[in-house]
Amino acid sequence: QCSCLSSGAMSDPSDQPHAVAATPAAVAGGDAARFVFVGGLHRSGTSLLAELLKAHPEVAGQVIDGMPKELEQEGQHVQRVYPVDDALGGPGAFAHNPLAHMTERHPLATAASAARLEADWAPHWRGVEGAKVRLEKSPSNMLRARFLQALWPNSYHLIIVRHPVAVAFATAAWAARHGGGKRAASAASVVECARHWLRAHDLLLADLSSLTNVRIVRLEEFVSSPEAAQRTIDAICADLGLRRVAVGELEAAAGRGAISAGVNRKYWRACKDEAEAVHTALGALEPRFAAFGYPLASLDPAASAAPAEPSRNRLGTVSEAAPPVEPAAALGAATALAASAACACSAPASASAARAV
């Protein structure tokens, strides 16, 4: 069972998971390869992480011919089992829809659903020959990991998290570019996207203790240096029993440039430039952001990334001197989600490799 949480159960006892039989950690390649699901809110780095991993020679990824670029090769758009994010409210809103949160108690958590999903996704896998895992990326996987685990008990879940204010500004800007109009980029929209971040991560936190194979990746840590990116990829590969590949090789194979460390810089400037009303609204949410390890000041690129006295957060990861919070408060100090969302991953790995990066 996942040992991410040092506090007790986060959800109502009536919602505790049914027992799920464990399956072998390593599955033969080809069509029997293990599933890896990448999730995290839109504009949090899901595409970056998924593209790098799909470039690994032992990972089969999805290539969906004819898919519009803005749908980003997400498997949710070529399946007929659960509703897609846009049908649930779209980026910046879907987590408020009760239908977005799916667990092992969902009526669709059946062998028939697993078979339907495998059939829907089958035409889109690339690199299956010799693959040990099959990777599917959709943002809302973060809210249906328990459901997916019920379908495939040995599945592995990668959740990437980013500063809520950066996600809020980026999501509002994305909505404006893709038909949202002026209202989508308004100050009110930014604040609503920040509240959505909290809702999504509250749900994720409540689910973590029910997940067997899960790793949390903090975007800011992942991109902070080439060495940090390599540590993250190495830890994921160790979890999954994949051979080590240099991040530079993955970037080249994926056709990406080098990872940039300044992912939040423009959003710090945007936050500083916003009207007082936005500062007041975001300031009111700051205690909850800080409980996840993301105080507003941590958006500042000049803020220290290496606290002298780290403390443990609600994800069981090490944070930057975050004060203790009540168990129901929030995800925890994601300023260092990299240090230890330790989970008992079923793939053999050392204790250090099982810590979230």
PDB file of all heavy atoms in Angstrom, residues 207-238:
ATOM      1  N   ASP A 207      -7.138  10.301  -2.276  1.00  0.00           N
ATOM      2  CA  ASP A 207      -6.993   9.035  -3.000  1.00  0.00           C
ATOM      3  C   ASP A 207      -5.654   8.351  -2.779  1.00  0.00           C
ATOM      4  O   ASP A 207      -5.531   7.132  -2.981  1.00  0.00           O
ATOM      5  CB  ASP A 207      -7.163   9.260  -4.510  1.00  0.00           C
ATOM      6  CG  ASP A 207      -8.612   9.459  -4.909  1.00  0.00           C
ATOM      7  OD1 ASP A 207      -9.504   9.231  -4.075  1.00  0.00           O
ATOM      8  OD2 ASP A 207      -8.837   9.856  -6.072  1.00  0.00           O
ATOM      9  N   LEU A 208      -4.629   9.080  -2.397  1.00  0.00           N
ATOM     10  CA  LEU A 208      -3.270   8.537  -2.423  1.00  0.00           C
ATOM     11  C   LEU A 208      -3.103   7.289  -1.560  1.00  0.00           C
ATOM     12  O   LEU A 208      -2.405   6.348  -1.944  1.00  0.00           O
ATOM     13  CB  LEU A 208      -2.257   9.603  -1.994  1.00  0.00           C
ATOM     14  CG  LEU A 208      -1.911  10.641  -3.054  1.00  0.00           C
ATOM     15  CD1 LEU A 208      -0.922  11.649  -2.485  1.00  0.00           C
ATOM     16  CD2 LEU A 208      -1.335   9.983  -4.300  1.00  0.00           C
ATOM     17  N   SER A 209      -3.738   7.272  -0.391  1.00  0.00           N
ATOM     18  CA  SER A 209      -3.539   6.119   0.482  1.00  0.00           C
ATOM     19  C   SER A 209      -4.181   4.849  -0.072  1.00  0.00           C
ATOM     20  O   SER A 209      -3.919   3.755   0.429  1.00  0.00           O
ATOM     21  CB  SER A 209      -4.102   6.417   1.880  1.00  0.00           C
ATOM     22  OG  SER A 209      -5.485   6.673   1.810  1.00  0.00           O
ATOM     23  N   SER A 210      -5.009   4.983  -1.107  1.00  0.00           N
ATOM     24  CA  SER A 210      -5.651   3.816  -1.730  1.00  0.00           C
ATOM     25  C   SER A 210      -4.900   3.334  -2.964  1.00  0.00           C
ATOM     26  O   SER A 210      -5.314   2.351  -3.584  1.00  0.00           O
ATOM     27  CB  SER A 210      -7.098   4.159  -2.126  1.00  0.00           C
ATOM     28  OG  SER A 210      -7.853   4.512  -0.990  1.00  0.00           O
ATOM     29  N   LEU A 211      -3.817   4.010  -3.332  1.00  0.00           N
ATOM     30  CA  LEU A 211      -3.064   3.647  -4.528  1.00  0.00           C
ATOM     31  C   LEU A 211      -1.812   2.856  -4.148  1.00  0.00           C
ATOM     32  O   LEU A 211      -1.118   3.204  -3.199  1.00  0.00           O
ATOM     33  CB  LEU A 211      -2.677   4.897  -5.315  1.00  0.00           C
ATOM     34  CG  LEU A 211      -3.857   5.692  -5.888  1.00  0.00           C
ATOM     35  CD1 LEU A 211      -3.368   7.004  -6.490  1.00  0.00           C
ATOM     36  CD2 LEU A 211      -4.608   4.877  -6.923  1.00  0.00           C
ATOM     37  N   THR A 212      -1.527   1.828  -4.898  1.00  0.00           N
ATOM     38  CA  THR A 212      -0.384   0.970  -4.608  1.00  0.00           C
ATOM     39  C   THR A 212       0.891   1.475  -5.279  1.00  0.00           C
ATOM     40  O   THR A 212       1.946   1.517  -4.670  1.00  0.00           O
ATOM     41  CB  THR A 212      -0.675  -0.465  -5.076  1.00  0.00           C
ATOM     42  OG1 THR A 212      -1.863  -0.929  -4.433  1.00  0.00           O
ATOM     43  CG2 THR A 212       0.475  -1.396  -4.735  1.00  0.00           C
ATOM     44  N   ASN A 213       0.806   1.860  -6.552  1.00  0.00           N
ATOM     45  CA  ASN A 213       1.983   2.256  -7.323  1.00  0.00           C
ATOM     46  C   ASN A 213       1.783   3.671  -7.842  1.00  0.00           C
ATOM     47  O   ASN A 213       1.185   3.887  -8.889  1.00  0.00           O
ATOM     48  CB  ASN A 213       2.188   1.300  -8.509  1.00  0.00           C
ATOM     49  CG  ASN A 213       2.259  -0.147  -8.075  1.00  0.00           C
ATOM     50  OD1 ASN A 213       2.984  -0.479  -7.145  1.00  0.00           O
ATOM     51  ND2 ASN A 213       1.503  -1.008  -8.734  1.00  0.00           N
ATOM     52  N   VAL A 214       2.283   4.646  -7.103  1.00  0.00           N
ATOM     53  CA  VAL A 214       2.090   6.042  -7.489  1.00  0.00           C
ATOM     54  C   VAL A 214       3.349   6.824  -7.172  1.00  0.00           C
ATOM     55  O   VAL A 214       3.996   6.581  -6.157  1.00  0.00           O
ATOM     56  CB  VAL A 214       0.866   6.665  -6.773  1.00  0.00           C
ATOM     57  CG1 VAL A 214       0.999   6.576  -5.272  1.00  0.00           C
ATOM     58  CG2 VAL A 214       0.624   8.105  -7.209  1.00  0.00           C
ATOM     59  N   ARG A 215       3.700   7.712  -8.060  1.00  0.00           N
ATOM     60  CA  ARG A 215       4.841   8.599  -7.837  1.00  0.00           C
ATOM     61  C   ARG A 215       4.404  10.023  -8.149  1.00  0.00           C
ATOM     62  O   ARG A 215       3.782  10.282  -9.172  1.00  0.00           O
ATOM     63  CB  ARG A 215       6.039   8.202  -8.711  1.00  0.00           C
ATOM     64  CG  ARG A 215       7.243   9.112  -8.547  1.00  0.00           C
ATOM     65  CD  ARG A 215       8.448   8.610  -9.322  1.00  0.00           C
ATOM     66  NE  ARG A 215       9.014   7.413  -8.704  1.00  0.00           N
ATOM     67  CZ  ARG A 215       9.882   7.446  -7.696  1.00  0.00           C
ATOM     68  NH1 ARG A 215      10.282   8.594  -7.195  1.00  0.00           N
ATOM     69  NH2 ARG A 215      10.357   6.320  -7.203  1.00  0.00           N
ATOM     70  N   ILE A 216       4.744  10.953  -7.259  1.00  0.00           N
ATOM     71  CA  ILE A 216       4.453  12.370  -7.456  1.00  0.00           C
ATOM     72  C   ILE A 216       5.705  13.053  -7.979  1.00  0.00           C
ATOM     73  O   ILE A 216       6.782  12.884  -7.426  1.00  0.00           O
ATOM     74  CB  ILE A 216       4.022  13.031  -6.138  1.00  0.00           C
ATOM     75  CG1 ILE A 216       2.843  12.292  -5.510  1.00  0.00           C
ATOM     76  CG2 ILE A 216       3.686  14.500  -6.366  1.00  0.00           C
ATOM     77  CD1 ILE A 216       1.579  12.312  -6.322  1.00  0.00           C
ATOM     78  N   VAL A 217       5.543  13.832  -9.033  1.00  0.00           N
ATOM     79  CA  VAL A 217       6.649  14.599  -9.607  1.00  0.00           C
ATOM     80  C   VAL A 217       6.309  16.077  -9.489  1.00  0.00           C
ATOM     81  O   VAL A 217       5.227  16.497  -9.907  1.00  0.00           O
ATOM     82  CB  VAL A 217       6.877  14.237 -11.093  1.00  0.00           C
ATOM     83  CG1 VAL A 217       7.941  15.135 -11.717  1.00  0.00           C
ATOM     84  CG2 VAL A 217       7.274  12.774 -11.234  1.00  0.00           C
ATOM     85  N   ARG A 218       7.173  16.851  -8.900  1.00  0.00           N
ATOM     86  CA  ARG A 218       6.971  18.298  -8.836  1.00  0.00           C
ATOM     87  C   ARG A 218       7.671  18.941 -10.022  1.00  0.00           C
ATOM     88  O   ARG A 218       8.877  18.805 -10.205  1.00  0.00           O
ATOM     89  CB  ARG A 218       7.519  18.867  -7.525  1.00  0.00           C
ATOM     90  CG  ARG A 218       7.270  20.379  -7.384  1.00  0.00           C
ATOM     91  CD  ARG A 218       7.664  20.874  -5.998  1.00  0.00           C
ATOM     92  NE  ARG A 218       9.087  20.960  -5.839  1.00  0.00           N
ATOM     93  CZ  ARG A 218       9.806  22.072  -6.050  1.00  0.00           C
ATOM     94  NH1 ARG A 218       9.211  23.163  -6.455  1.00  0.00           N
ATOM     95  NH2 ARG A 218      11.109  22.059  -5.867  1.00  0.00           N
ATOM     96  N   LEU A 219       6.918  19.630 -10.864  1.00  0.00           N
ATOM     97  CA  LEU A 219       7.481  20.203 -12.081  1.00  0.00           C
ATOM     98  C   LEU A 219       8.667  21.100 -11.785  1.00  0.00           C
ATOM     99  O   LEU A 219       9.703  21.028 -12.463  1.00  0.00           O
ATOM    100  CB  LEU A 219       6.410  20.995 -12.840  1.00  0.00           C
ATOM    101  CG  LEU A 219       6.894  21.699 -14.121  1.00  0.00           C
ATOM    102  CD1 LEU A 219       7.328  20.690 -15.175  1.00  0.00           C
ATOM    103  CD2 LEU A 219       5.816  22.626 -14.678  1.00  0.00           C
ATOM    104  N   GLU A 220       8.539  21.962 -10.789  1.00  0.00           N
ATOM    105  CA  GLU A 220       9.618  22.922 -10.498  1.00  0.00           C
ATOM    106  C   GLU A 220      10.923  22.211 -10.160  1.00  0.00           C
ATOM    107  O   GLU A 220      12.000  22.663 -10.547  1.00  0.00           O
ATOM    108  CB  GLU A 220       9.197  23.844  -9.344  1.00  0.00           C
ATOM    109  CG  GLU A 220       8.082  24.810  -9.682  1.00  0.00           C
ATOM    110  CD  GLU A 220       6.687  24.209  -9.579  1.00  0.00           C
ATOM    111  OE1 GLU A 220       6.567  23.008  -9.201  1.00  0.00           O
ATOM    112  OE2 GLU A 220       5.718  24.922  -9.855  1.00  0.00           O
ATOM    113  N   GLU A 221      10.838  21.111  -9.440  1.00  0.00           N
ATOM    114  CA  GLU A 221      12.043  20.358  -9.112  1.00  0.00           C
ATOM    115  C   GLU A 221      12.568  19.616 -10.339  1.00  0.00           C
ATOM    116  O   GLU A 221      13.770  19.575 -10.593  1.00  0.00           O
ATOM    117  CB  GLU A 221      11.739  19.382  -7.979  1.00  0.00           C
ATOM    118  CG  GLU A 221      12.895  18.472  -7.592  1.00  0.00           C
ATOM    119  CD  GLU A 221      14.075  19.214  -6.990  1.00  0.00           C
ATOM    120  OE1 GLU A 221      13.885  20.344  -6.504  1.00  0.00           O
ATOM    121  OE2 GLU A 221      15.186  18.654  -7.027  1.00  0.00           O
ATOM    122  N   PHE A 222      11.662  19.039 -11.092  1.00  0.00           N
ATOM    123  CA  PHE A 222      12.037  18.262 -12.272  1.00  0.00           C
ATOM    124  C   PHE A 222      12.863  19.094 -13.253  1.00  0.00           C
ATOM    125  O   PHE A 222      13.849  18.624 -13.812  1.00  0.00           O
ATOM    126  CB  PHE A 222      10.763  17.735 -12.933  1.00  0.00           C
ATOM    127  CG  PHE A 222      10.987  16.915 -14.179  1.00  0.00           C
ATOM    128  CD1 PHE A 222      11.965  15.942 -14.238  1.00  0.00           C
ATOM    129  CD2 PHE A 222      10.188  17.113 -15.299  1.00  0.00           C
ATOM    130  CE1 PHE A 222      12.154  15.175 -15.388  1.00  0.00           C
ATOM    131  CE2 PHE A 222      10.363  16.359 -16.447  1.00  0.00           C
ATOM    132  CZ  PHE A 222      11.351  15.389 -16.488  1.00  0.00           C
ATOM    133  N   VAL A 223      12.455  20.344 -13.479  1.00  0.00           N
ATOM    134  CA  VAL A 223      13.126  21.176 -14.480  1.00  0.00           C
ATOM    135  C   VAL A 223      14.226  22.049 -13.894  1.00  0.00           C
ATOM    136  O   VAL A 223      14.832  22.837 -14.623  1.00  0.00           O
ATOM    137  CB  VAL A 223      12.107  22.070 -15.224  1.00  0.00           C
ATOM    138  CG1 VAL A 223      11.021  21.229 -15.861  1.00  0.00           C
ATOM    139  CG2 VAL A 223      11.503  23.129 -14.300  1.00  0.00           C
ATOM    140  N   SER A 224      14.506  21.911 -12.597  1.00  0.00           N
ATOM    141  CA  SER A 224      15.440  22.834 -11.951  1.00  0.00           C
ATOM    142  C   SER A 224      16.867  22.698 -12.449  1.00  0.00           C
ATOM    143  O   SER A 224      17.647  23.652 -12.405  1.00  0.00           O
ATOM    144  CB  SER A 224      15.396  22.650 -10.430  1.00  0.00           C
ATOM    145  OG  SER A 224      15.820  21.344 -10.064  1.00  0.00           O
ATOM    146  N   SER A 225      17.244  21.517 -12.938  1.00  0.00           N
ATOM    147  CA  SER A 225      18.599  21.304 -13.450  1.00  0.00           C
ATOM    148  C   SER A 225      18.618  20.007 -14.242  1.00  0.00           C
ATOM    149  O   SER A 225      17.759  19.141 -14.050  1.00  0.00           O
ATOM    150  CB  SER A 225      19.613  21.216 -12.298  1.00  0.00           C
ATOM    151  OG  SER A 225      19.417  20.019 -11.559  1.00  0.00           O
ATOM    152  N   PRO A 226      19.598  19.830 -15.122  1.00  0.00           N
ATOM    153  CA  PRO A 226      19.719  18.550 -15.828  1.00  0.00           C
ATOM    154  C   PRO A 226      19.870  17.373 -14.869  1.00  0.00           C
ATOM    155  O   PRO A 226      19.345  16.287 -15.119  1.00  0.00           O
ATOM    156  CB  PRO A 226      20.974  18.732 -16.692  1.00  0.00           C
ATOM    157  CG  PRO A 226      21.075  20.218 -16.892  1.00  0.00           C
ATOM    158  CD  PRO A 226      20.591  20.826 -15.609  1.00  0.00           C
ATOM    159  N   GLU A 227      20.567  17.606 -13.763  1.00  0.00           N
ATOM    160  CA  GLU A 227      20.774  16.533 -12.795  1.00  0.00           C
ATOM    161  C   GLU A 227      19.448  16.138 -12.129  1.00  0.00           C
ATOM    162  O   GLU A 227      19.180  14.953 -11.906  1.00  0.00           O
ATOM    163  CB  GLU A 227      21.779  16.967 -11.726  1.00  0.00           C
ATOM    164  CG  GLU A 227      23.191  17.184 -12.227  1.00  0.00           C
ATOM    165  CD  GLU A 227      23.372  18.510 -12.985  1.00  0.00           C
ATOM    166  OE1 GLU A 227      22.501  19.409 -12.842  1.00  0.00           O
ATOM    167  OE2 GLU A 227      24.370  18.629 -13.720  1.00  0.00           O
ATOM    168  N   ALA A 228      18.622  17.139 -11.817  1.00  0.00           N
ATOM    169  CA  ALA A 228      17.329  16.848 -11.192  1.00  0.00           C
ATOM    170  C   ALA A 228      16.423  16.090 -12.158  1.00  0.00           C
ATOM    171  O   ALA A 228      15.720  15.146 -11.767  1.00  0.00           O
ATOM    172  CB  ALA A 228      16.658  18.143 -10.738  1.00  0.00           C
ATOM    173  N   ALA A 229      16.425  16.489 -13.423  1.00  0.00           N
ATOM    174  CA  ALA A 229      15.622  15.786 -14.424  1.00  0.00           C
ATOM    175  C   ALA A 229      16.084  14.342 -14.557  1.00  0.00           C
ATOM    176  O   ALA A 229      15.263  13.417 -14.644  1.00  0.00           O
ATOM    177  CB  ALA A 229      15.711  16.500 -15.765  1.00  0.00           C
ATOM    178  N   GLN A 230      17.395  14.126 -14.550  1.00  0.00           N
ATOM    179  CA  GLN A 230      17.916  12.762 -14.670  1.00  0.00           C
ATOM    180  C   GLN A 230      17.528  11.925 -13.461  1.00  0.00           C
ATOM    181  O   GLN A 230      17.172  10.750 -13.596  1.00  0.00           O
ATOM    182  CB  GLN A 230      19.433  12.795 -14.823  1.00  0.00           C
ATOM    183  CG  GLN A 230      20.043  11.436 -15.174  1.00  0.00           C
ATOM    184  CD  GLN A 230      19.626  10.975 -16.567  1.00  0.00           C
ATOM    185  OE1 GLN A 230      19.909  11.651 -17.563  1.00  0.00           O
ATOM    186  NE2 GLN A 230      18.958   9.832 -16.647  1.00  0.00           N
ATOM    187  N   ARG A 231      17.593  12.521 -12.255  1.00  0.00           N
ATOM    188  CA  ARG A 231      17.196  11.779 -11.052  1.00  0.00           C
ATOM    189  C   ARG A 231      15.733  11.345 -11.146  1.00  0.00           C
ATOM    190  O   ARG A 231      15.389  10.223 -10.758  1.00  0.00           O
ATOM    191  CB  ARG A 231      17.412  12.637  -9.802  1.00  0.00           C
ATOM    192  CG  ARG A 231      18.856  12.782  -9.362  1.00  0.00           C
ATOM    193  CD  ARG A 231      18.950  13.318  -7.943  1.00  0.00           C
ATOM    194  NE  ARG A 231      18.296  14.623  -7.783  1.00  0.00           N
ATOM    195  CZ  ARG A 231      18.903  15.785  -7.968  1.00  0.00           C
ATOM    196  NH1 ARG A 231      20.180  15.814  -8.345  1.00  0.00           N
ATOM    197  NH2 ARG A 231      18.251  16.912  -7.777  1.00  0.00           N
ATOM    198  N   THR A 232      14.891  12.223 -11.650  1.00  0.00           N
ATOM    199  CA  THR A 232      13.474  11.894 -11.771  1.00  0.00           C
ATOM    200  C   THR A 232      13.278  10.724 -12.728  1.00  0.00           C
ATOM    201  O   THR A 232      12.591   9.747 -12.411  1.00  0.00           O
ATOM    202  CB  THR A 232      12.686  13.114 -12.285  1.00  0.00           C
ATOM    203  OG1 THR A 232      12.865  14.211 -11.391  1.00  0.00           O
ATOM    204  CG2 THR A 232      11.208  12.798 -12.412  1.00  0.00           C
ATOM    205  N   ILE A 233      13.870  10.829 -13.906  1.00  0.00           N
ATOM    206  CA  ILE A 233      13.713   9.772 -14.911  1.00  0.00           C
ATOM    207  C   ILE A 233      14.323   8.469 -14.415  1.00  0.00           C
ATOM    208  O   ILE A 233      13.747   7.381 -14.606  1.00  0.00           O
ATOM    209  CB  ILE A 233      14.342  10.206 -16.249  1.00  0.00           C
ATOM    210  CG1 ILE A 233      13.616  11.449 -16.812  1.00  0.00           C
ATOM    211  CG2 ILE A 233      14.320   9.056 -17.241  1.00  0.00           C
ATOM    212  CD1 ILE A 233      12.138  11.218 -17.113  1.00  0.00           C
ATOM    213  N   ASP A 234      15.471   8.544 -13.758  1.00  0.00           N
ATOM    214  CA  ASP A 234      16.104   7.333 -13.226  1.00  0.00           C
ATOM    215  C   ASP A 234      15.199   6.646 -12.209  1.00  0.00           C
ATOM    216  O   ASP A 234      15.086   5.408 -12.187  1.00  0.00           O
ATOM    217  CB  ASP A 234      17.440   7.670 -12.558  1.00  0.00           C
ATOM    218  CG  ASP A 234      18.536   8.002 -13.555  1.00  0.00           C
ATOM    219  OD1 ASP A 234      18.330   7.797 -14.770  1.00  0.00           O
ATOM    220  OD2 ASP A 234      19.611   8.470 -13.116  1.00  0.00           O
ATOM    221  N   ALA A 235      14.560   7.435 -11.345  1.00  0.00           N
ATOM    222  CA  ALA A 235      13.699   6.849 -10.313  1.00  0.00           C
ATOM    223  C   ALA A 235      12.483   6.171 -10.945  1.00  0.00           C
ATOM    224  O   ALA A 235      12.076   5.086 -10.526  1.00  0.00           O
ATOM    225  CB  ALA A 235      13.255   7.927  -9.328  1.00  0.00           C
ATOM    226  N   ILE A 236      11.890   6.808 -11.951  1.00  0.00           N
ATOM    227  CA  ILE A 236      10.743   6.212 -12.644  1.00  0.00           C
ATOM    228  C   ILE A 236      11.168   4.916 -13.331  1.00  0.00           C
ATOM    229  O   ILE A 236      10.466   3.895 -13.258  1.00  0.00           O
ATOM    230  CB  ILE A 236      10.148   7.209 -13.650  1.00  0.00           C
ATOM    231  CG1 ILE A 236       9.544   8.408 -12.917  1.00  0.00           C
ATOM    232  CG2 ILE A 236       9.099   6.539 -14.533  1.00  0.00           C
ATOM    233  CD1 ILE A 236       9.201   9.585 -13.821  1.00  0.00           C
ATOM    234  N   CYS A 237      12.305   4.951 -14.000  1.00  0.00           N
ATOM    235  CA  CYS A 237      12.789   3.742 -14.677  1.00  0.00           C
ATOM    236  C   CYS A 237      13.051   2.622 -13.676  1.00  0.00           C
ATOM    237  O   CYS A 237      12.753   1.453 -13.946  1.00  0.00           O
ATOM    238  CB  CYS A 237      14.051   4.058 -15.475  1.00  0.00           C
ATOM    239  SG  CYS A 237      13.765   5.060 -16.955  1.00  0.00           S
ATOM    240  N   ALA A 238      13.603   2.959 -12.512  1.00  0.00           N
ATOM    241  CA  ALA A 238      13.839   1.944 -11.484  1.00  0.00           C
ATOM    242  C   ALA A 238      12.524   1.347 -11.000  1.00  0.00           C
ATOM    243  O   ALA A 238      12.415   0.130 -10.805  1.00  0.00           O
ATOM    244  CB  ALA A 238      14.615   2.552 -10.314  1.00  0.00           C
TER     245      ALA A 238
END
